[in-house]
Amino acid sequence: LRDILITTARGSIRVPIEDESTVVEIARAAADAEGVGQCGNEYGLYVASAAKGDHARSPMLPSDELVNAMQKLSDTEASTPGDAEKTKKKLVRRKRKDSGRGPAPRVYLRKRLLFHGEIETATESDVHQLYVQCKECVEAGRYGITDPSESLLLAATACAAQHGERASALSADLVAEWLLANVQPSIYERWRAETWVEDFRSVLAKLDGWSTLEAKTNYVRMCQRYPLWGTELFAAGKRGRGLKHVPSQCLIAVSWAGIALYGVGGSGKSKPGRAIPTAARLLIWTFNELVSWSATADGRNLCLVTLKHEPKGRQDDGTGREKTRDFQLEGQGASHVCALLSD
């Protein structure tokens, strides 16, 4: 047996596991300990990449044994072009730091599968889990929010969820710090700092009387309106011909609705774990349009077989034609996409 430290939405817990335990077994044990509901592979484990920082969390395959999953992550980091030497030094420092207390890899418990409307029947623990993950996505810019008013409302709602009745008593300096931490810089710079603080207090006054649970629930409801809510994003490279309107480097988004493609926002050179999608979705294949999916043995190449319908005006019998789409992903990204689609 060994202890594994798992960071959850409420803090950290230590779970004793066997080396042969699979990732999904450990995730279920952690979810049980947290009192959050789960169904099948709804929850998963994610690990912070030494090469990309704490916020670039890589998912572990549910079927993997923990030891194998950690080894694959180390192998992937060490083989990253241009970063091998730097990554090696980070891994050595981490090993030295951990050597005094024995092997206890730190991983994160997160909900892998999110669905529309589940907040309506969620328990208080489930609501908190959904709120934490939605807030992370908003702060990372993954929802493609561009309206300052929307950002302001989300920031005020998060403040009510975090501080409760004490939110209205925060000083101007604390309000400014909160806004800087909860609003994307590109949005924050569009208004003067004084305007942000003044409007923030005005919005917060309208939320007076909300309990912490009500604030978290409404925060999740607001996030459910965005197309990228409940999606898992993977940086990918398009292979082969076709899909001319899709750039060579794109983001694959897997959700309850199917699998969609987005462009990469900003300069297009964002780190994979922090890549921000463009606001407009390029295309989506619903599950009715997905014939099959598969990954190569190394987990890097993804093959999708989809239905390609005839252009408007051309005779179509309604069944569509099958078309193969190929993508190359980092690490074991293709295997993760297939696992999510199957679940």
Side-chain angles (χ1 to χ4, degrees), residues 203-236:
V203 172
L204 201 59
K206 298 177 182 178
L207 309 184
D208 187 40
W210 277 9
S211 67
T212 298
L213 180 60
E214 288 175 323
K216 291 177 181 178
T217 301
N218 287 319
Y219 191 95
V220 175
R221 283 176 177 153
M222 284 187 278
C223 291
Q224 284 182 333
R225 298 177 303 175
Y226 300 115
L228 276 161
W229 183 86
T231 60
E232 193 84 43
L233 291 172
F234 300 87

PDB file of all heavy atoms in Angstrom, residues 203-236:
ATOM      1  N   VAL A 203     -23.651  45.758  -8.528  1.00  0.00           N
ATOM      2  CA  VAL A 203     -24.154  44.417  -8.834  1.00  0.00           C
ATOM      3  C   VAL A 203     -24.241  43.579  -7.572  1.00  0.00           C
ATOM      4  O   VAL A 203     -25.218  42.847  -7.359  1.00  0.00           O
ATOM      5  CB  VAL A 203     -23.233  43.726  -9.871  1.00  0.00           C
ATOM      6  CG1 VAL A 203     -23.628  42.260 -10.046  1.00  0.00           C
ATOM      7  CG2 VAL A 203     -23.298  44.448 -11.198  1.00  0.00           C
ATOM      8  N   LEU A 204     -23.238  43.680  -6.713  1.00  0.00           N
ATOM      9  CA  LEU A 204     -23.210  42.892  -5.479  1.00  0.00           C
ATOM     10  C   LEU A 204     -24.403  43.229  -4.583  1.00  0.00           C
ATOM     11  O   LEU A 204     -24.959  42.346  -3.903  1.00  0.00           O
ATOM     12  CB  LEU A 204     -21.897  43.154  -4.737  1.00  0.00           C
ATOM     13  CG  LEU A 204     -21.461  42.100  -3.715  1.00  0.00           C
ATOM     14  CD1 LEU A 204     -21.301  40.744  -4.386  1.00  0.00           C
ATOM     15  CD2 LEU A 204     -20.151  42.519  -3.065  1.00  0.00           C
ATOM     16  N   ALA A 205     -24.828  44.507  -4.586  1.00  0.00           N
ATOM     17  CA  ALA A 205     -25.973  44.912  -3.774  1.00  0.00           C
ATOM     18  C   ALA A 205     -27.250  44.201  -4.228  1.00  0.00           C
ATOM     19  O   ALA A 205     -28.135  43.893  -3.416  1.00  0.00           O
ATOM     20  CB  ALA A 205     -26.154  46.425  -3.849  1.00  0.00           C
ATOM     21  N   LYS A 206     -27.353  43.926  -5.521  1.00  0.00           N
ATOM     22  CA  LYS A 206     -28.526  43.236  -6.051  1.00  0.00           C
ATOM     23  C   LYS A 206     -28.540  41.751  -5.657  1.00  0.00           C
ATOM     24  O   LYS A 206     -29.588  41.098  -5.731  1.00  0.00           O
ATOM     25  CB  LYS A 206     -28.576  43.361  -7.576  1.00  0.00           C
ATOM     26  CG  LYS A 206     -28.707  44.796  -8.068  1.00  0.00           C
ATOM     27  CD  LYS A 206     -28.683  44.873  -9.581  1.00  0.00           C
ATOM     28  CE  LYS A 206     -28.756  46.312 -10.068  1.00  0.00           C
ATOM     29  NZ  LYS A 206     -28.683  46.420 -11.547  1.00  0.00           N
ATOM     30  N   LEU A 207     -27.385  41.225  -5.299  1.00  0.00           N
ATOM     31  CA  LEU A 207     -27.293  39.822  -4.899  1.00  0.00           C
ATOM     32  C   LEU A 207     -27.446  39.644  -3.391  1.00  0.00           C
ATOM     33  O   LEU A 207     -27.311  38.531  -2.885  1.00  0.00           O
ATOM     34  CB  LEU A 207     -25.935  39.232  -5.333  1.00  0.00           C
ATOM     35  CG  LEU A 207     -25.524  39.436  -6.789  1.00  0.00           C
ATOM     36  CD1 LEU A 207     -24.208  38.717  -7.063  1.00  0.00           C
ATOM     37  CD2 LEU A 207     -26.603  38.942  -7.731  1.00  0.00           C
ATOM     38  N   ASP A 208     -27.711  40.747  -2.702  1.00  0.00           N
ATOM     39  CA  ASP A 208     -27.838  40.691  -1.243  1.00  0.00           C
ATOM     40  C   ASP A 208     -28.969  39.735  -0.847  1.00  0.00           C
ATOM     41  O   ASP A 208     -30.057  39.767  -1.425  1.00  0.00           O
ATOM     42  CB  ASP A 208     -28.132  42.100  -0.707  1.00  0.00           C
ATOM     43  CG  ASP A 208     -28.103  42.132   0.805  1.00  0.00           C
ATOM     44  OD1 ASP A 208     -27.224  41.479   1.397  1.00  0.00           O
ATOM     45  OD2 ASP A 208     -28.972  42.801   1.393  1.00  0.00           O
ATOM     46  N   GLY A 209     -28.681  38.876   0.104  1.00  0.00           N
ATOM     47  CA  GLY A 209     -29.683  37.898   0.540  1.00  0.00           C
ATOM     48  C   GLY A 209     -29.438  36.502   0.009  1.00  0.00           C
ATOM     49  O   GLY A 209     -30.042  35.539   0.480  1.00  0.00           O
ATOM     50  N   TRP A 210     -28.563  36.385  -0.979  1.00  0.00           N
ATOM     51  CA  TRP A 210     -28.236  35.053  -1.499  1.00  0.00           C
ATOM     52  C   TRP A 210     -27.387  34.289  -0.484  1.00  0.00           C
ATOM     53  O   TRP A 210     -26.448  34.849   0.098  1.00  0.00           O
ATOM     54  CB  TRP A 210     -27.439  35.176  -2.802  1.00  0.00           C
ATOM     55  CG  TRP A 210     -28.284  35.396  -4.024  1.00  0.00           C
ATOM     56  CD1 TRP A 210     -29.617  35.662  -4.051  1.00  0.00           C
ATOM     57  CD2 TRP A 210     -27.839  35.387  -5.380  1.00  0.00           C
ATOM     58  NE1 TRP A 210     -30.036  35.824  -5.350  1.00  0.00           N
ATOM     59  CE2 TRP A 210     -28.961  35.659  -6.189  1.00  0.00           C
ATOM     60  CE3 TRP A 210     -26.605  35.191  -5.978  1.00  0.00           C
ATOM     61  CZ2 TRP A 210     -28.886  35.718  -7.569  1.00  0.00           C
ATOM     62  CZ3 TRP A 210     -26.526  35.251  -7.354  1.00  0.00           C
ATOM     63  CH2 TRP A 210     -27.653  35.510  -8.150  1.00  0.00           C
ATOM     64  N   SER A 211     -27.705  33.037  -0.299  1.00  0.00           N
ATOM     65  CA  SER A 211     -26.849  32.183   0.508  1.00  0.00           C
ATOM     66  C   SER A 211     -25.654  31.751  -0.336  1.00  0.00           C
ATOM     67  O   SER A 211     -25.633  31.934  -1.561  1.00  0.00           O
ATOM     68  CB  SER A 211     -27.614  30.956   0.994  1.00  0.00           C
ATOM     69  OG  SER A 211     -27.946  30.117  -0.106  1.00  0.00           O
ATOM     70  N   THR A 212     -24.651  31.173   0.332  1.00  0.00           N
ATOM     71  CA  THR A 212     -23.479  30.683  -0.397  1.00  0.00           C
ATOM     72  C   THR A 212     -23.887  29.638  -1.426  1.00  0.00           C
ATOM     73  O   THR A 212     -23.389  29.647  -2.564  1.00  0.00           O
ATOM     74  CB  THR A 212     -22.459  30.080   0.584  1.00  0.00           C
ATOM     75  OG1 THR A 212     -22.014  31.092   1.482  1.00  0.00           O
ATOM     76  CG2 THR A 212     -21.266  29.506  -0.161  1.00  0.00           C
ATOM     77  N   LEU A 213     -24.796  28.746  -1.052  1.00  0.00           N
ATOM     78  CA  LEU A 213     -25.254  27.702  -1.970  1.00  0.00           C
ATOM     79  C   LEU A 213     -25.989  28.298  -3.159  1.00  0.00           C
ATOM     80  O   LEU A 213     -25.790  27.865  -4.305  1.00  0.00           O
ATOM     81  CB  LEU A 213     -26.154  26.703  -1.233  1.00  0.00           C
ATOM     82  CG  LEU A 213     -26.711  25.546  -2.067  1.00  0.00           C
ATOM     83  CD1 LEU A 213     -25.584  24.703  -2.654  1.00  0.00           C
ATOM     84  CD2 LEU A 213     -27.650  24.681  -1.223  1.00  0.00           C
ATOM     85  N   GLU A 214     -26.842  29.293  -2.915  1.00  0.00           N
ATOM     86  CA  GLU A 214     -27.576  29.945  -4.014  1.00  0.00           C
ATOM     87  C   GLU A 214     -26.610  30.626  -4.983  1.00  0.00           C
ATOM     88  O   GLU A 214     -26.799  30.568  -6.205  1.00  0.00           O
ATOM     89  CB  GLU A 214     -28.568  30.960  -3.452  1.00  0.00           C
ATOM     90  CG  GLU A 214     -29.772  30.338  -2.770  1.00  0.00           C
ATOM     91  CD  GLU A 214     -30.665  31.377  -2.116  1.00  0.00           C
ATOM     92  OE1 GLU A 214     -30.109  32.363  -1.577  1.00  0.00           O
ATOM     93  OE2 GLU A 214     -31.897  31.217  -2.132  1.00  0.00           O
ATOM     94  N   ALA A 215     -25.579  31.271  -4.444  1.00  0.00           N
ATOM     95  CA  ALA A 215     -24.606  31.958  -5.295  1.00  0.00           C
ATOM     96  C   ALA A 215     -23.859  30.957  -6.166  1.00  0.00           C
ATOM     97  O   ALA A 215     -23.667  31.180  -7.373  1.00  0.00           O
ATOM     98  CB  ALA A 215     -23.631  32.753  -4.438  1.00  0.00           C
ATOM     99  N   LYS A 216     -23.430  29.836  -5.595  1.00  0.00           N
ATOM    100  CA  LYS A 216     -22.714  28.814  -6.365  1.00  0.00           C
ATOM    101  C   LYS A 216     -23.622  28.211  -7.435  1.00  0.00           C
ATOM    102  O   LYS A 216     -23.195  27.998  -8.574  1.00  0.00           O
ATOM    103  CB  LYS A 216     -22.206  27.720  -5.436  1.00  0.00           C
ATOM    104  CG  LYS A 216     -21.102  28.149  -4.501  1.00  0.00           C
ATOM    105  CD  LYS A 216     -20.695  27.026  -3.559  1.00  0.00           C
ATOM    106  CE  LYS A 216     -19.605  27.480  -2.604  1.00  0.00           C
ATOM    107  NZ  LYS A 216     -19.231  26.411  -1.642  1.00  0.00           N
ATOM    108  N   THR A 217     -24.872  27.946  -7.073  1.00  0.00           N
ATOM    109  CA  THR A 217     -25.823  27.365  -8.030  1.00  0.00           C
ATOM    110  C   THR A 217     -26.062  28.297  -9.207  1.00  0.00           C
ATOM    111  O   THR A 217     -26.047  27.875 -10.369  1.00  0.00           O
ATOM    112  CB  THR A 217     -27.162  27.051  -7.331  1.00  0.00           C
ATOM    113  OG1 THR A 217     -26.937  26.132  -6.255  1.00  0.00           O
ATOM    114  CG2 THR A 217     -28.152  26.434  -8.308  1.00  0.00           C
ATOM    115  N   ASN A 218     -26.256  29.579  -8.917  1.00  0.00           N
ATOM    116  CA  ASN A 218     -26.503  30.540  -9.994  1.00  0.00           C
ATOM    117  C   ASN A 218     -25.260  30.766 -10.844  1.00  0.00           C
ATOM    118  O   ASN A 218     -25.361  31.032 -12.050  1.00  0.00           O
ATOM    119  CB  ASN A 218     -26.991  31.869  -9.404  1.00  0.00           C
ATOM    120  CG  ASN A 218     -28.423  31.776  -8.901  1.00  0.00           C
ATOM    121  OD1 ASN A 218     -29.274  31.170  -9.547  1.00  0.00           O
ATOM    122  ND2 ASN A 218     -28.685  32.359  -7.751  1.00  0.00           N
ATOM    123  N   TYR A 219     -24.083  30.665 -10.236  1.00  0.00           N
ATOM    124  CA  TYR A 219     -22.835  30.783 -10.996  1.00  0.00           C
ATOM    125  C   TYR A 219     -22.745  29.667 -12.035  1.00  0.00           C
ATOM    126  O   TYR A 219     -22.419  29.904 -13.206  1.00  0.00           O
ATOM    127  CB  TYR A 219     -21.651  30.715 -10.036  1.00  0.00           C
ATOM    128  CG  TYR A 219     -20.325  31.084 -10.664  1.00  0.00           C
ATOM    129  CD1 TYR A 219     -19.826  32.372 -10.569  1.00  0.00           C
ATOM    130  CD2 TYR A 219     -19.553  30.136 -11.344  1.00  0.00           C
ATOM    131  CE1 TYR A 219     -18.598  32.720 -11.129  1.00  0.00           C
ATOM    132  CE2 TYR A 219     -18.333  30.474 -11.912  1.00  0.00           C
ATOM    133  CZ  TYR A 219     -17.869  31.769 -11.803  1.00  0.00           C
ATOM    134  OH  TYR A 219     -16.663  32.103 -12.370  1.00  0.00           O
ATOM    135  N   VAL A 220     -23.058  28.446 -11.613  1.00  0.00           N
ATOM    136  CA  VAL A 220     -23.032  27.310 -12.541  1.00  0.00           C
ATOM    137  C   VAL A 220     -24.077  27.481 -13.633  1.00  0.00           C
ATOM    138  O   VAL A 220     -23.823  27.201 -14.808  1.00  0.00           O
ATOM    139  CB  VAL A 220     -23.250  25.986 -11.779  1.00  0.00           C
ATOM    140  CG1 VAL A 220     -23.346  24.819 -12.751  1.00  0.00           C
ATOM    141  CG2 VAL A 220     -22.115  25.745 -10.788  1.00  0.00           C
ATOM    142  N   ARG A 221     -25.273  27.947 -13.263  1.00  0.00           N
ATOM    143  CA  ARG A 221     -26.327  28.161 -14.258  1.00  0.00           C
ATOM    144  C   ARG A 221     -25.886  29.153 -15.329  1.00  0.00           C
ATOM    145  O   ARG A 221     -26.185  28.981 -16.511  1.00  0.00           O
ATOM    146  CB  ARG A 221     -27.600  28.658 -13.567  1.00  0.00           C
ATOM    147  CG  ARG A 221     -28.378  27.564 -12.843  1.00  0.00           C
ATOM    148  CD  ARG A 221     -29.553  28.148 -12.107  1.00  0.00           C
ATOM    149  NE  ARG A 221     -30.344  27.118 -11.470  1.00  0.00           N
ATOM    150  CZ  ARG A 221     -31.081  27.317 -10.382  1.00  0.00           C
ATOM    151  NH1 ARG A 221     -31.109  28.519  -9.815  1.00  0.00           N
ATOM    152  NH2 ARG A 221     -31.782  26.326  -9.856  1.00  0.00           N
ATOM    153  N   MET A 222     -25.187  30.202 -14.918  1.00  0.00           N
ATOM    154  CA  MET A 222     -24.693  31.182 -15.888  1.00  0.00           C
ATOM    155  C   MET A 222     -23.679  30.541 -16.831  1.00  0.00           C
ATOM    156  O   MET A 222     -23.686  30.795 -18.039  1.00  0.00           O
ATOM    157  CB  MET A 222     -24.076  32.382 -15.159  1.00  0.00           C
ATOM    158  CG  MET A 222     -25.102  33.331 -14.573  1.00  0.00           C
ATOM    159  SD  MET A 222     -24.348  34.842 -13.904  1.00  0.00           S
ATOM    160  CE  MET A 222     -23.820  34.239 -12.295  1.00  0.00           C
ATOM    161  N   CYS A 223     -22.814  29.707 -16.275  1.00  0.00           N
ATOM    162  CA  CYS A 223     -21.784  29.063 -17.101  1.00  0.00           C
ATOM    163  C   CYS A 223     -22.383  28.051 -18.064  1.00  0.00           C
ATOM    164  O   CYS A 223     -21.827  27.803 -19.142  1.00  0.00           O
ATOM    165  CB  CYS A 223     -20.747  28.379 -16.204  1.00  0.00           C
ATOM    166  SG  CYS A 223     -19.708  29.529 -15.274  1.00  0.00           S
ATOM    167  N   GLN A 224     -23.510  27.465 -17.708  1.00  0.00           N
ATOM    168  CA  GLN A 224     -24.147  26.473 -18.581  1.00  0.00           C
ATOM    169  C   GLN A 224     -24.651  27.088 -19.886  1.00  0.00           C
ATOM    170  O   GLN A 224     -24.930  26.372 -20.842  1.00  0.00           O
ATOM    171  CB  GLN A 224     -25.309  25.797 -17.855  1.00  0.00           C
ATOM    172  CG  GLN A 224     -24.863  24.778 -16.824  1.00  0.00           C
ATOM    173  CD  GLN A 224     -26.040  24.093 -16.143  1.00  0.00           C
ATOM    174  OE1 GLN A 224     -27.129  24.666 -16.041  1.00  0.00           O
ATOM    175  NE2 GLN A 224     -25.831  22.886 -15.679  1.00  0.00           N
ATOM    176  N   ARG A 225     -24.718  28.407 -19.950  1.00  0.00           N
ATOM    177  CA  ARG A 225     -25.189  29.061 -21.182  1.00  0.00           C
ATOM    178  C   ARG A 225     -24.111  29.089 -22.254  1.00  0.00           C
ATOM    179  O   ARG A 225     -24.417  29.277 -23.437  1.00  0.00           O
ATOM    180  CB  ARG A 225     -25.618  30.499 -20.878  1.00  0.00           C
ATOM    181  CG  ARG A 225     -26.767  30.630 -19.895  1.00  0.00           C
ATOM    182  CD  ARG A 225     -27.076  32.075 -19.613  1.00  0.00           C
ATOM    183  NE  ARG A 225     -25.911  32.798 -19.112  1.00  0.00           N
ATOM    184  CZ  ARG A 225     -25.888  34.106 -18.879  1.00  0.00           C
ATOM    185  NH1 ARG A 225     -26.950  34.840 -19.141  1.00  0.00           N
ATOM    186  NH2 ARG A 225     -24.794  34.688 -18.414  1.00  0.00           N
ATOM    187  N   TYR A 226     -22.846  28.919 -21.863  1.00  0.00           N
ATOM    188  CA  TYR A 226     -21.759  29.028 -22.830  1.00  0.00           C
ATOM    189  C   TYR A 226     -21.559  27.710 -23.575  1.00  0.00           C
ATOM    190  O   TYR A 226     -21.646  26.628 -22.987  1.00  0.00           O
ATOM    191  CB  TYR A 226     -20.465  29.424 -22.119  1.00  0.00           C
ATOM    192  CG  TYR A 226     -20.582  30.750 -21.398  1.00  0.00           C
ATOM    193  CD1 TYR A 226     -20.480  30.814 -20.007  1.00  0.00           C
ATOM    194  CD2 TYR A 226     -20.819  31.929 -22.093  1.00  0.00           C
ATOM    195  CE1 TYR A 226     -20.605  32.021 -19.339  1.00  0.00           C
ATOM    196  CE2 TYR A 226     -20.943  33.140 -21.436  1.00  0.00           C
ATOM    197  CZ  TYR A 226     -20.832  33.173 -20.049  1.00  0.00           C
ATOM    198  OH  TYR A 226     -20.966  34.374 -19.398  1.00  0.00           O
ATOM    199  N   PRO A 227     -21.290  27.790 -24.879  1.00  0.00           N
ATOM    200  CA  PRO A 227     -21.124  26.570 -25.687  1.00  0.00           C
ATOM    201  C   PRO A 227     -20.033  25.639 -25.173  1.00  0.00           C
ATOM    202  O   PRO A 227     -20.113  24.429 -25.353  1.00  0.00           O
ATOM    203  CB  PRO A 227     -20.769  27.114 -27.082  1.00  0.00           C
ATOM    204  CG  PRO A 227     -21.322  28.500 -27.110  1.00  0.00           C
ATOM    205  CD  PRO A 227     -21.187  29.015 -25.705  1.00  0.00           C
ATOM    206  N   LEU A 228     -19.006  26.203 -24.517  1.00  0.00           N
ATOM    207  CA  LEU A 228     -17.886  25.384 -24.069  1.00  0.00           C
ATOM    208  C   LEU A 228     -18.064  24.863 -22.648  1.00  0.00           C
ATOM    209  O   LEU A 228     -17.153  24.256 -22.090  1.00  0.00           O
ATOM    210  CB  LEU A 228     -16.583  26.184 -24.167  1.00  0.00           C
ATOM    211  CG  LEU A 228     -15.958  26.168 -25.564  1.00  0.00           C
ATOM    212  CD1 LEU A 228     -14.967  27.298 -25.737  1.00  0.00           C
ATOM    213  CD2 LEU A 228     -15.280  24.837 -25.815  1.00  0.00           C
ATOM    214  N   TRP A 229     -19.244  25.069 -22.059  1.00  0.00           N
ATOM    215  CA  TRP A 229     -19.478  24.508 -20.732  1.00  0.00           C
ATOM    216  C   TRP A 229     -19.497  22.983 -20.822  1.00  0.00           C
ATOM    217  O   TRP A 229     -20.071  22.405 -21.734  1.00  0.00           O
ATOM    218  CB  TRP A 229     -20.824  24.987 -20.169  1.00  0.00           C
ATOM    219  CG  TRP A 229     -21.060  24.480 -18.779  1.00  0.00           C
ATOM    220  CD1 TRP A 229     -20.631  25.052 -17.628  1.00  0.00           C
ATOM    221  CD2 TRP A 229     -21.755  23.294 -18.401  1.00  0.00           C
ATOM    222  NE1 TRP A 229     -21.011  24.300 -16.546  1.00  0.00           N
ATOM    223  CE2 TRP A 229     -21.709  23.213 -16.984  1.00  0.00           C
ATOM    224  CE3 TRP A 229     -22.415  22.289 -19.110  1.00  0.00           C
ATOM    225  CZ2 TRP A 229     -22.294  22.167 -16.272  1.00  0.00           C
ATOM    226  CZ3 TRP A 229     -22.994  21.246 -18.403  1.00  0.00           C
ATOM    227  CH2 TRP A 229     -22.932  21.190 -17.004  1.00  0.00           C
ATOM    228  N   GLY A 230     -18.832  22.347 -19.878  1.00  0.00           N
ATOM    229  CA  GLY A 230     -18.853  20.885 -19.819  1.00  0.00           C
ATOM    230  C   GLY A 230     -18.005  20.212 -20.869  1.00  0.00           C
ATOM    231  O   GLY A 230     -18.210  19.045 -21.180  1.00  0.00           O
ATOM    232  N   THR A 231     -17.021  20.927 -21.423  1.00  0.00           N
ATOM    233  CA  THR A 231     -16.174  20.327 -22.459  1.00  0.00           C
ATOM    234  C   THR A 231     -14.778  20.055 -21.915  1.00  0.00           C
ATOM    235  O   THR A 231     -14.299  20.738 -21.017  1.00  0.00           O
ATOM    236  CB  THR A 231     -16.040  21.248 -23.691  1.00  0.00           C
ATOM    237  OG1 THR A 231     -15.453  22.482 -23.280  1.00  0.00           O
ATOM    238  CG2 THR A 231     -17.388  21.506 -24.326  1.00  0.00           C
ATOM    239  N   GLU A 232     -14.158  19.056 -22.491  1.00  0.00           N
ATOM    240  CA  GLU A 232     -12.746  18.754 -22.215  1.00  0.00           C
ATOM    241  C   GLU A 232     -11.979  19.140 -23.473  1.00  0.00           C
ATOM    242  O   GLU A 232     -12.308  18.680 -24.578  1.00  0.00           O
ATOM    243  CB  GLU A 232     -12.579  17.277 -21.921  1.00  0.00           C
ATOM    244  CG  GLU A 232     -11.243  16.903 -21.339  1.00  0.00           C
ATOM    245  CD  GLU A 232     -11.176  17.095 -19.827  1.00  0.00           C
ATOM    246  OE1 GLU A 232     -12.132  16.737 -19.134  1.00  0.00           O
ATOM    247  OE2 GLU A 232     -10.137  17.599 -19.362  1.00  0.00           O
ATOM    248  N   LEU A 233     -10.987  20.006 -23.340  1.00  0.00           N
ATOM    249  CA  LEU A 233     -10.269  20.540 -24.496  1.00  0.00           C
ATOM    250  C   LEU A 233      -8.933  19.827 -24.708  1.00  0.00           C
ATOM    251  O   LEU A 233      -8.221  19.545 -23.748  1.00  0.00           O
ATOM    252  CB  LEU A 233     -10.025  22.036 -24.325  1.00  0.00           C
ATOM    253  CG  LEU A 233     -11.252  22.955 -24.387  1.00  0.00           C
ATOM    254  CD1 LEU A 233     -10.865  24.365 -24.015  1.00  0.00           C
ATOM    255  CD2 LEU A 233     -11.892  22.919 -25.760  1.00  0.00           C
ATOM    256  N   PHE A 234      -8.613  19.565 -25.973  1.00  0.00           N
ATOM    257  CA  PHE A 234      -7.356  18.917 -26.336  1.00  0.00           C
ATOM    258  C   PHE A 234      -6.745  19.659 -27.523  1.00  0.00           C
ATOM    259  O   PHE A 234      -7.420  19.884 -28.533  1.00  0.00           O
ATOM    260  CB  PHE A 234      -7.587  17.450 -26.724  1.00  0.00           C
ATOM    261  CG  PHE A 234      -8.184  16.605 -25.635  1.00  0.00           C
ATOM    262  CD1 PHE A 234      -9.561  16.532 -25.465  1.00  0.00           C
ATOM    263  CD2 PHE A 234      -7.373  15.883 -24.771  1.00  0.00           C
ATOM    264  CE1 PHE A 234     -10.120  15.760 -24.460  1.00  0.00           C
ATOM    265  CE2 PHE A 234      -7.916  15.101 -23.759  1.00  0.00           C
ATOM    266  CZ  PHE A 234      -9.299  15.043 -23.607  1.00  0.00           C
ATOM    267  N   ALA A 235      -5.468  20.041 -27.404  1.00  0.00           N
ATOM    268  CA  ALA A 235      -4.756  20.656 -28.522  1.00  0.00           C
ATOM    269  C   ALA A 235      -4.484  19.584 -29.575  1.00  0.00           C
ATOM    270  O   ALA A 235      -4.062  18.472 -29.249  1.00  0.00           O
ATOM    271  CB  ALA A 235      -3.453  21.277 -28.039  1.00  0.00           C
ATOM    272  N   ALA A 236      -4.758  19.906 -30.834  1.00  0.00           N
ATOM    273  CA  ALA A 236      -4.625  18.912 -31.900  1.00  0.00           C
ATOM    274  C   ALA A 236      -4.097  19.538 -33.173  1.00  0.00           C
ATOM    275  O   ALA A 236      -4.191  20.753 -33.385  1.00  0.00           O
ATOM    276  CB  ALA A 236      -5.977  18.246 -32.165  1.00  0.00           C
TER     277      ALA A 236
END
